[in-house]
């Protein structure tokens, strides 16, 4: 099972700055992830929270059942050492994804404190960032088996 995690403010997708994040709602994005996961024969468990600690608790609670993490950490990307430590602590392969291209925006967004501990960072491809991230995890898990 793969944990699919969406960080702060992603619950507002669809109405939140559509010129940057697009018009798809989070439930539509989750639906598209489910379709892709089925094709890849992966089970997924979705979670969105605006609270850093709740995301960390979710990772801890699911650490024994999960095989990997697909996460859009949203703004936590840029400063959350606590989230970074949680991902390192559970030692699950993780892919960091972003809808927008974080390299082409404000300077504070260029830095990810998570990138180093993730298999990869996929950014700027809208919902495809998630779908590619899931493919990458599937390939990684396939190789590991
Ligand atoms: C984001 C990019 C982050 O910088 C921002 O804080 C978000 C969304 C993205 O998906 O493009 O909330 O992770």
């Amino acid at each position: 099972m793969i944990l699919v995690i969406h960080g702060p403010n992603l619950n507002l997708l669809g109405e939140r700055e559509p010129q940057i994040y697009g018009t798809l709602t989070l439930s539509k994005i989750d639906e598209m992830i489910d379709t892709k996961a089925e094709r890849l024969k992966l089970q997924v468990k979705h979670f969105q929270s605006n609270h850093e600690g709740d995301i960390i608790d979710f990772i801890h609670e699911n650490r024994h059942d999960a095989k990997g993490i697909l996460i859009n950490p949203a703004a936590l990307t840029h400063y959350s050492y606590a989230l970074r430590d949680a991902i390192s602590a559970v030692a699950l392969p993780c892919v960091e994804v972003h809808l927008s291209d974080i390299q082409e925006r404000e300077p504070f967004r260029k830095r990810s404190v998570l990138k180093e501990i993730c298999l990869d960072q996929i950014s700027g491809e809208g919902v495809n960032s998630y779908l590619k991230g899931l493919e990458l995890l599937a390939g990684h898990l396939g190789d590991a088996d």
Side-chain angles (χ1 to χ4, degrees):
M1 182 251 288
I2 304 292
L3 306 179
V4 176
I5 303 173
H6 310 281
N9 301 302
L10 294 172
N11 54 309
L12 293 185
L13 285 177
E15 62 179 88
R16 174 190 182 202
E17 300 175 276
Q19 71 285 3
I20 296 173
Y21 298 116
T23 52
L24 294 178
T25 59
L26 188 61
S27 52
K28 183 66 194 169
I29 288 175
D30 275 337
E31 228 177 79
M32 292 170 78
I33 292 171
D34 284 344
T35 305
K36 182 78 177 179
E38 246 172 68
R39 260 187 237 141
L40 295 168
K41 303 197 185 335
L42 289 173
Q43 290 202 320
V44 291
K45 185 166 180 179
H46 302 270
F47 185 69
Q48 189 278 327
S49 178
N50 295 324
H51 306 280
E52 183 183 37
D54 288 346
I55 294 174
I56 292 169
D57 286 344
F58 177 78
I59 292 171
H60 289 182
E61 281 157 17
N62 289 285
R63 70 188 187 278
H64 296 309
D65 300 324
K67 286 188 165 168
I69 301 175
L70 180 69
I71 187 166
N72 183 345
L76 297 173
T77 306
H78 314 300
Y79 65 88
S80 179
Y81 295 119
L83 179 57
R84 176 186 165 122
D85 282 351
I87 295 168
S88 296
V90 300
L92 289 167
C94 180
V95 178
E96 174 192 333
V97 301
H98 301 280
L99 295 155
S100 66
D101 185 349
I102 59 171
Q103 295 306 324
E104 297 297 326
R105 299 183 60 195
E106 303 94 321
F108 77 88
R109 294 188 201 275
K110 291 190 202 295
R111 175 162 177 261
S112 164
V113 301
L114 306 177
K115 187 176 171 182
E116 216 175 64
I117 55 138
C118 289
L119 293 176
D120 206 353
Q121 178 194 73
I122 304 175
S123 158
E125 304 198 31
V127 67
N128 277 326
S129 295
Y130 286 95
L131 304 183
K132 284 188 177 176
L134 202 56
E135 258 174 37
L136 202 143
L137 271 174
H140 177 83
L141 294 172
D143 291 346
D145 281 349

